[in-house]
Short mmCIF file of all heavy atoms in Angstrom, two decimals:
data_model
loop_
_atom_site.label_atom_id
_atom_site.label_comp_id
_atom_site.label_asym_id
_atom_site.label_seq_id
_atom_site.Cartn_x
_atom_site.Cartn_y
_atom_site.Cartn_z
N VAL A 224 95.31 92.84 47.28
CA VAL A 224 96.04 93.84 48.09
C VAL A 224 95.06 94.93 48.38
O VAL A 224 94.91 95.42 49.57
CB VAL A 224 97.30 94.39 47.36
CG1 VAL A 224 97.91 95.53 48.05
CG2 VAL A 224 98.34 93.26 47.28
N TRP A 225 94.35 95.50 47.34
CA TRP A 225 93.44 96.65 47.55
C TRP A 225 92.21 96.37 48.31
O TRP A 225 91.50 97.18 48.73
CB TRP A 225 93.11 97.25 46.17
CG TRP A 225 94.14 98.05 45.55
CD1 TRP A 225 94.98 97.83 44.50
CD2 TRP A 225 94.66 99.34 46.02
NE1 TRP A 225 95.91 98.76 44.35
CE2 TRP A 225 95.71 99.71 45.26
CE3 TRP A 225 94.23 100.16 47.21
CZ2 TRP A 225 96.38 100.89 45.38
CZ3 TRP A 225 94.96 101.30 47.43
CH2 TRP A 225 95.94 101.66 46.54
N SER A 226 91.84 95.06 48.38
CA SER A 226 90.68 94.66 49.22
C SER A 226 90.88 94.93 50.67
O SER A 226 89.92 95.03 51.48
CB SER A 226 90.30 93.20 49.03
OG SER A 226 91.27 92.34 49.68
N LEU A 227 92.16 95.10 51.08
CA LEU A 227 92.52 95.46 52.54
C LEU A 227 91.85 94.42 53.49
O LEU A 227 91.16 94.73 54.45
CB LEU A 227 92.00 96.81 52.86
CG LEU A 227 92.60 97.92 51.94
CD1 LEU A 227 92.04 99.25 52.39
CD2 LEU A 227 94.10 97.95 51.99
N LEU A 228 92.06 93.09 53.14
CA LEU A 228 91.37 92.02 53.90
C LEU A 228 89.92 92.16 54.06
O LEU A 228 89.30 91.64 55.04
CB LEU A 228 92.11 91.93 55.33
CG LEU A 228 93.58 91.72 55.38
CD1 LEU A 228 94.10 91.82 56.75
CD2 LEU A 228 93.91 90.37 54.73
N GLY A 229 89.24 92.65 52.94
CA GLY A 229 87.84 92.76 52.90
C GLY A 229 87.29 94.03 53.26
O GLY A 229 86.07 94.36 52.99
N ILE A 230 88.08 94.89 53.97
CA ILE A 230 87.60 96.20 54.40
C ILE A 230 87.18 97.13 53.31
O ILE A 230 86.35 97.92 53.37
CB ILE A 230 88.60 96.85 55.34
CG1 ILE A 230 88.87 96.02 56.57
CG2 ILE A 230 88.21 98.31 55.73
CD1 ILE A 230 90.05 96.41 57.46
N GLY A 231 87.87 96.87 52.08
CA GLY A 231 87.67 97.68 50.93
C GLY A 231 86.22 97.60 50.45
O GLY A 231 85.65 98.56 49.84
N ASN A 232 85.53 96.56 50.95
CA ASN A 232 84.01 96.37 50.53
C ASN A 232 83.16 97.40 51.25
O ASN A 232 82.08 97.64 50.72
CB ASN A 232 83.56 95.01 50.79
CG ASN A 232 84.11 94.06 49.83
OD1 ASN A 232 83.98 94.15 48.66
ND2 ASN A 232 84.88 93.02 50.35
N LEU A 233 83.58 98.04 52.22
CA LEU A 233 82.82 99.05 53.00
C LEU A 233 82.49 100.17 52.06
O LEU A 233 81.59 100.98 52.35
CB LEU A 233 83.54 99.48 54.30
CG LEU A 233 83.58 98.32 55.29
CD1 LEU A 233 84.27 98.77 56.62
CD2 LEU A 233 82.20 97.88 55.72
N TRP A 234 83.47 100.50 51.08
CA TRP A 234 83.31 101.62 50.17
C TRP A 234 81.98 101.53 49.42
O TRP A 234 81.34 102.57 49.10
CB TRP A 234 84.50 101.60 49.19
CG TRP A 234 84.51 102.86 48.41
CD1 TRP A 234 84.16 103.05 47.13
CD2 TRP A 234 84.91 104.21 48.86
NE1 TRP A 234 84.30 104.35 46.75
CE2 TRP A 234 84.70 105.03 47.74
CE3 TRP A 234 85.30 104.68 50.13
CZ2 TRP A 234 85.10 106.48 47.76
CZ3 TRP A 234 85.63 106.12 50.10
CH2 TRP A 234 85.47 106.83 48.98
N ILE A 235 81.46 100.36 49.23
CA ILE A 235 80.17 100.17 48.53
C ILE A 235 79.09 100.88 49.18
O ILE A 235 78.14 101.38 48.61
CB ILE A 235 79.86 98.68 48.46
CG1 ILE A 235 80.82 97.91 47.59
CG2 ILE A 235 78.41 98.43 47.80
CD1 ILE A 235 80.74 96.44 47.65
N LEU A 236 79.06 100.97 50.52
CA LEU A 236 78.10 101.58 51.33
C LEU A 236 78.01 103.08 51.13
O LEU A 236 76.96 103.71 51.36
CB LEU A 236 78.25 101.28 52.87
CG LEU A 236 78.21 99.82 53.22
CD1 LEU A 236 78.64 99.70 54.72
CD2 LEU A 236 76.83 99.25 53.09
N ILE A 237 78.98 103.75 50.61
CA ILE A 237 78.99 105.17 50.36
C ILE A 237 79.11 105.47 48.89
O ILE A 237 79.07 106.64 48.44
CB ILE A 237 80.04 105.82 51.15
CG1 ILE A 237 81.45 105.36 50.84
CG2 ILE A 237 79.79 105.87 52.60
CD1 ILE A 237 82.54 106.20 51.45
N ASN A 238 79.26 104.44 48.06
CA ASN A 238 79.45 104.59 46.63
C ASN A 238 78.17 104.09 45.93
O ASN A 238 77.90 102.89 45.98
CB ASN A 238 80.69 103.83 46.13
CG ASN A 238 81.03 103.97 44.65
OD1 ASN A 238 80.05 104.26 43.93
ND2 ASN A 238 82.13 103.65 44.26
N GLY A 239 77.49 105.01 45.25
CA GLY A 239 76.25 104.70 44.53
C GLY A 239 76.43 103.68 43.42
O GLY A 239 75.52 103.13 42.79
N ASP A 240 77.60 103.57 42.88
CA ASP A 240 77.88 102.64 41.73
C ASP A 240 78.12 101.23 42.18
O ASP A 240 78.50 100.42 41.28
CB ASP A 240 79.13 103.14 40.97
CG ASP A 240 78.94 104.48 40.18
OD1 ASP A 240 77.84 104.79 39.91
OD2 ASP A 240 79.89 105.15 39.97
N LYS A 241 78.00 100.85 43.38
CA LYS A 241 78.24 99.52 43.91
C LYS A 241 79.63 99.09 43.54
O LYS A 241 79.83 97.99 43.19
CB LYS A 241 77.24 98.58 43.43
CG LYS A 241 75.78 98.80 43.91
CD LYS A 241 74.97 97.69 43.46
CE LYS A 241 73.37 97.82 43.96
NZ LYS A 241 72.55 96.91 43.48
N LEU A 242 80.61 99.87 43.68
CA LEU A 242 82.06 99.64 43.45
C LEU A 242 82.78 99.63 44.77
O LEU A 242 82.76 100.61 45.51
CB LEU A 242 82.65 100.58 42.54
CG LEU A 242 82.20 100.44 40.97
CD1 LEU A 242 82.86 101.63 40.20
CD2 LEU A 242 82.61 99.05 40.43
N ALA A 243 83.56 98.58 45.08
CA ALA A 243 84.33 98.52 46.28
C ALA A 243 85.73 99.28 45.94
O ALA A 243 85.98 99.41 44.71
CB ALA A 243 84.57 97.08 46.70
N LEU A 244 86.53 99.51 46.88
CA LEU A 244 87.89 100.02 46.70
C LEU A 244 88.62 99.21 45.71
O LEU A 244 89.23 99.79 44.75
CB LEU A 244 88.59 100.17 48.02
CG LEU A 244 90.07 100.64 47.95
CD1 LEU A 244 89.99 102.23 47.44
CD2 LEU A 244 90.73 100.73 49.34
#
Side-chain angles (χ1 to χ4, degrees):
V224 171
W225 282 110
S226 72
L227 306 174
L228 299 175
I230 297 170
N232 286 302
L233 294 175
W234 189 257
I235 296 169
L236 298 174
I237 58 173
N238 181 339
D240 291 335
K241 292 185 180 177
L242 290 172
L244 177 63

